Amino acid sequence: MSCKIPVETVVPLTAESPSGNNIVTFFSNASGEVGYTVAHNDKVVIDSSYLSFDFKGMDPLGSGLKISNSSSKSVTETWEMPWGEQRKVKNNFNELTIDLTEQEGLERKLTVIFRVYDDGLGFRYHFPNQPNMKEVIITDENTQFNLTGDHKVWWMPGDWDIYEHLYNETKFSEIDAISKRNHPNLAQTHIPKNAVNTPVTMKTEDGLYLSFHEANLTDYSGMTIKVDPATFGMESELVGSEITGYKVKRNTPFNTPWRTIQIADRAGDLIESKLIVNLNDPNKLGDVSWFKPTKYVGIWWEMHLGKSSWDMASGKHGATTENAKAFIDFAAANNIGAMLVEGWNTGWEHWIGFEDREGVFDFVTPYPDYNLEEVIKYGKAKNVNIIMHHETSAAPRTYEQQLDTAYKLMENLGIHAVKTGYVGKIIPKGEYHHGQWMVNHYRKVLETAAKHKVAVNAHEPIKPTGIRRTLPNAIAREGLRGQEFNAWASDGGNPPSHLPTVAFTRMLAGPIDYTPGIFNIKLDPWKEDNQVNTTLAQQLALYVVIYGPVQMAADLPEYYKGHEALQFIRDVGVDWEESKVLNGEIGDYVTIARREKSTHKWFIGSITDENPRELTLDLSFLDNGQSYTATIYGDAADAHWDDNPTAYEITTKTVTSKDKLNLKLAPGGGAAISLVPAGK
Ligand code: NOJ
Ligand code: CA
């Protein structure tokens, strides 16, 4: 193995993954600088990468260090997800802990902990309690991730305020985040450096896949990764604050989030990897059966289309009692368990474009044409739960003042889910969506919600980092360019390659609220200049491909009524016993099969970018000896995302685990398949 550990290395320490495919080597050199390398199947994938911190009011920490102690342990356990892509999760790693002490001066101590898995690794810093380091004000965390070549990278700019960018596919040396400033369709954006947001995913020349992210982001600021295109160098760049001038403030002892590197020989293995949740603490909430994964409809898409509006003053208010009842009727008739209502509360007259958004939204007072209690009663009678909506307009102080009353109201009304939103620049100005102050705000909301038995689907969120394991009321998030961009973005909406990229990037972080299921693809007569850039069959496939425990049937009921393809939305599961990625290449296509929890039904979703594709699916994952009725909702022969998006066909066959299924996906197309065991 040709590890490029610096020659002057004094002490190398290694940790291997359980199968030995990944090896981390920790080193310290003659100057007491410390770092690590990573090898996969005996090949270096992360070259010598140093670790250090800069502080306010204290010397940097990262040289003159000596290894004062080191220890290892192995863990094998299996835990259960209360809801998720799979029920059982195996957590199997070898851990290496290295205690470092400065040899001179303040004699500060720092511990680095590596956990090495077969699907990658995580490492974090522990700042122990110590006399000469009580309060720690971090101005920079300098964690390097140095690459070994000019990999192909799927990246978005390291925006401190939003993740709603398209992914770019370029060589590492061509990453240029600065060119992504001033996007016309973002209510807030701040890209200070040539950095990328995580997860950022790569493919090496040897065909190896790498994805960089973080796990358990708690009381710390989000990490972007600064790139040096010339040297293939990468280094953590924490989100800052112009108010405080620093990145993170903590008191010892504390842990940083895990810095994670997923490593896979097959692109699909990145999706199957559970590294991010495994690096989080076990469930702290216990029984969360008050939240049930669900499909939902909502008074929502009609606002994005301009058919109605959130505010009442416009004269076309969407959230009326009558409209809500009509949605409940539609949901009840179609096996859809919940309904979201946006624009139900006062304040929307002062939403977009207002500088002073503090004190504007009221999270307990409905508009006069919306009778909250009556709607809830009506929903209960028909088994349709209401999903509450809180648009904070990025005024978290106003929201925090009302948190207890707002969540008490939900608890009293028996509402167990809320969608939150943070559109606009954070007030106070100078704080950013992904900084420590907001990370703590989002956490406070989750914790308050948990006390009141409410699950949170956050939009304009902090990225998921696996907190759902610890707080399983963190159900889904936006944190990507969602379907809504197709309704109004002036840049043509989400291109056909968007979701085949999202599956291997954003989706590695956690569940997504993408809001699929648009049947009126061209959006006429509402938005003549906009459209969805997929076929209708792909919209169905998204229920399986893009994972989330809440899945919206986003279109207006009038476009579903009488439509044969609605049957797939009625049938498809939302909570899974197991998931398998059958094939896929980043940005091109992906096929995922998921088995519904507690039934033996399988569902398959397959999506492609702008290129048509023929795929053969090996069904050997089905139960042996069992025959299944496969209903395939596929693209018609002449379907095309732009020219003929709604041409689909439904075919039925009987299949067993010995069969192979041939799929033809149209440009921008997809296929959605349900597999129902015969006799069940
Ligand atoms: C942005 C969210 O992403 C969108 O779904 C919501 O409708 C608006 N904010 C209003 O809250
Ligand atoms: Ca959004």
Side-chain angles (χ1 to χ4, degrees):
M1 184 171 80
S2 65
C3 253
K4 295 195 205 157
I5 300 166
V7 278
E8 69 273 38
T9 291
V10 180
V11 199
L13 285 165
T14 62
E16 275 192 19
S17 62
S19 78
N21 64 340
N22 295 320
I23 301 181
V24 173
T25 303
F26 183 85
F27 62 80
S28 76
N29 66 18
S31 324
E33 293 165 335
V34 296
Y36 71 102
T37 63
V38 180
H40 176 75
N41 291 341
D42 290 340
K43 227 180 148 175
V44 178
V45 292
I46 301 294
D47 217 329
S48 304
S49 296
Y50 286 88
L51 310 170
S52 72
F53 284 87
D54 296 332
F55 306 107
K56 187 174 162 194
M58 192 165 52
D59 284 343
L61 185 60
S63 65
L65 293 165
K66 197 168 163 221
I67 297 174
S68 40
N69 195 19
S70 76
S71 60
S72 317
K73 70 170 186 188
S74 301
V75 171
T76 313
E77 60 172 15
T78 301
W79 55 279
E80 286 207 9
M81 290 181 150
W83 47 265
E85 308 91 313
Q86 64 203 64
R87 193 160 58 87
K88 288 191 177 156
V89 181
K90 198 170 141 202
N91 186 19
N92 186 197
F93 60 87
N94 291 324
E95 183 177 278
L96 170 65
T97 301
I98 302 122
D99 297 323
L100 302 163
T101 310
E102 271 181 320
Q103 290 307 287
E104 285 173 10
L106 294 175
E107 298 182 350
R108 291 170 299 178
K109 293 180 193 309
L110 179 70
T111 299
V112 188
I113 303 145
F114 288 90
R115 286 190 180 171
V116 192
Y117 291 77
D118 288 340
D119 53 345
L121 65 135
F123 61 95
R124 74 172 174 197
Y125 307 92
H126 171 71
F127 283 73
N129 187 14
Q130 51 195 293
N132 290 334
M133 201 160 44
K134 291 281 180 209
E135 185 185 71
V136 180
I137 299 178
I138 299 173
T139 52
D140 259 316
E141 174 192 322
N142 313 307
T143 299
Q144 297 183 342
F145 309 90
N146 290 324
L147 304 173
T148 55
D150 200 4
H151 306 332
K152 195 191 264 189
V153 185
W154 290 266
W155 59 274
M156 72 159 70
D159 198 317
W160 287 11
D161 247 347
I162 200 157
Y163 308 109
E164 297 180 21
H165 288 272
L166 286 175
Y167 284 90
N168 304 277
E169 176 183 328
T170 72
K171 288 191 158 178
F172 184 83
S173 57
E174 288 159 359
I175 294 176
D176 180 9
I178 303 301
S179 68
K180 306 297 169 189
R181 281 179 181 163
N182 307 320
H183 191 286
N185 297 115
L186 300 176
Q188 72 274 356
T189 170
H190 184 65
I191 306 172
K193 294 211 171 146
N194 193 15
V196 296
N197 265 324
T198 70
V200 56
T201 302
M202 309 183 181
K203 185 176 185 182
T204 70
E205 279 211 337
D206 301 336
L208 189 71
Y209 299 88
L210 303 173
S211 188
F212 298 81
H213 187 48
E214 58 183 311
N216 192 354
L217 170 53
T218 299
D219 199 359
Y220 207 80
S221 73
M223 176 181 72
T224 73
I225 300 182
K226 201 165 57 179
V227 301
D228 180 356
T231 64
F232 312 147
M234 303 204 296
E235 191 175 299
S236 58
E237 178 70 28
L238 300 180
V239 172
S241 154
E242 270 136 37
I243 293 183
T244 64
Y246 57 73
K247 305 285 176 79
V248 172
K249 185 166 163 179
R250 292 291 298 268
N251 290 319
T252 55
F254 71 93
N255 290 319
T256 70
W258 296 94
R259 277 63 189 93
T260 63
I261 309 175
Q262 279 162 277
I263 306 174
D265 298 312
R266 205 180 63 111
D269 291 346
L270 289 175
I271 299 175
E272 288 183 5
S273 160
K274 286 287 153 286
L275 184 82
I276 305 298
V277 269
N278 271 334
L279 286 167
N280 276 267
D281 297 333
N283 181 353
K284 270 194 196 150
L285 301 182
D287 178 18
V288 289
S289 57
W290 40 263
F291 166 72
K292 300 248 182 311
T294 184
K295 288 169 265 187
Y296 72 102
V297 292
I299 301 180
W300 176 75
W301 190 234
E302 58 181 75
M303 283 88 145
H304 289 270
L305 293 177
K307 181 186 173 192
S308 72
S309 74
W310 286 271
D311 68 296
M312 206 174 141
S314 66
K316 48 173 192 175
H317 188 210
T320 64
T321 308
E322 198 193 345
N323 199 17
K325 286 183 175 175
F327 269 87
I328 290 172
D329 291 341
F330 174 76
N334 293 291
N335 189 29
I336 294 174
M339 174 189 60
L340 164 76
V341 181
E342 295 202 359
W344 67 277
N345 59 326
T346 60
W348 289 90
E349 282 75 12
H350 299 277
W351 178 38
I352 276 183
F354 282 80
E355 267 300 299
D356 184 9
R357 287 166 276 115
E358 289 205 295
V360 162
F361 275 110
D362 176 322
F363 302 98
V364 293
T365 310
Y367 277 121
D369 58 348
Y370 183 72
N371 188 329
L372 177 61
E373 271 146 44
E374 194 180 322
V375 169
I376 287 170
K377 207 168 130 206
Y378 192 81
K380 279 226 167 87
K382 301 205 164 195
N383 272 327
V384 176
N385 294 315
I386 307 307
I387 299 178
M388 186 46 111
H389 184 240
H390 292 163
E391 173 54 64
T392 68
S393 65
R397 293 188 296 215
T398 295
Y399 191 39
E400 287 193 17
Q401 277 162 11
Q402 298 182 51
L403 266 190
D404 276 318
T405 37
Y407 282 80
K408 243 181 228 145
L409 174 70
M410 283 188 270
E411 189 170 11
N412 293 341
L413 295 171
I415 294 181
H416 291 294
V418 62
K419 169 178 170 182
T420 57
Y422 295 82
V423 173
K425 284 196 158 301
I426 298 290
I427 305 177
K429 204 164 166 245
E431 289 295 352
Y432 296 95
H433 280 72
H434 311 154
Q436 186 186 13
W437 190 71
M438 281 304 290
V439 165
N440 288 344
H441 167 79
Y442 290 115
R443 185 61 56 85
K444 184 171 181 183
V445 171
L446 269 178
E447 284 167 353
T448 308
K451 269 194 238 143
H452 296 280
K453 296 194 168 51
V454 175
V456 181
N457 168 15
H459 279 228
E460 298 78 39
I462 185 66
K463 61 190 169 185
T465 58
I467 300 300
R468 64 171 159 146
R469 179 175 178 194
T470 315
L471 300 175
N473 70 322
I475 46 172
R477 277 166 230 232
E478 190 188 40
L480 85 168
R481 250 175 89 116
Q483 182 88 274
E484 62 192 42
F485 276 75
N486 292 325
W488 41 252
S490 59
D491 62 359
N494 300 337
S497 60
H498 182 53
L499 291 162
T501 310
V502 161
F504 298 95
T505 50
R506 162 66 180 81
M507 200 165 86
L508 307 185
I512 298 179
D513 185 33
Y514 185 74
T515 67
I518 301 303
F519 281 13
N520 178 29
I521 300 277
K522 291 287 182 182
L523 311 181
D524 298 339
W526 312 106
K527 291 282 183 152
E528 312 238 299
D529 298 334
N530 298 81
Q531 68 173 68
V532 172
N533 301 315
T534 75
T535 65
L536 187 146
Q538 179 174 126
Q539 288 295 307
L540 297 178
L542 297 179
Y543 287 91
V544 187
V545 172
I546 303 298
Y547 173 68
V550 284
Q551 288 283 24
M552 190 172 206
D555 213 341
L556 311 181
E558 53 259 45
Y559 296 114
Y560 289 135
K561 278 186 185 145
H563 205 299
E564 248 190 318
L566 178 61
Q567 190 58 41
F568 185 79
I569 301 181
R570 286 189 195 111
D571 293 342
V572 67
V574 276
D575 196 20
W576 310 104
E577 180 69 26
E578 58 180 313
S579 292
K580 288 181 188 298
V581 183
L582 302 185
N583 57 40
E585 276 302 331
I586 309 174
D588 298 337
Y589 67 100
V590 59
T591 306
I592 301 184
R594 303 194 196 268
R595 181 154 76 99
E596 191 178 19
K597 220 185 232 176
S598 73
T599 73
H600 284 261
K601 290 181 193 166
W602 281 88
F603 294 88
I604 300 176
S606 186
I607 63 173
T608 178
D609 61 3
E610 67 286 357
N611 298 305
R613 244 168 256 280
E614 289 189 23
L615 300 171
T616 302
L617 308 185
D618 182 340
L619 300 180
S620 57
F621 58 85
L622 295 176
D623 284 351
N624 253 333
Q626 170 73 51
S627 63
Y628 294 78
T629 305
T631 309
I632 304 158
Y633 300 73
D635 295 316
D638 57 350
H640 182 280
W641 65 271
D642 194 18
D643 304 335
N644 196 13
T646 54
Y648 71 97
E649 54 190 29
I650 304 177
T651 47
T652 325
K653 324 190 145 142
T654 302
V655 297
T656 71
S657 60
K658 299 207 166 65
D659 287 315
K660 294 202 163 46
L661 260 188
N662 295 319
L663 294 182
K664 277 193 180 175
L665 311 183
I673 304 169
S674 63
L675 292 149
V676 180
K680 290 195 181 153

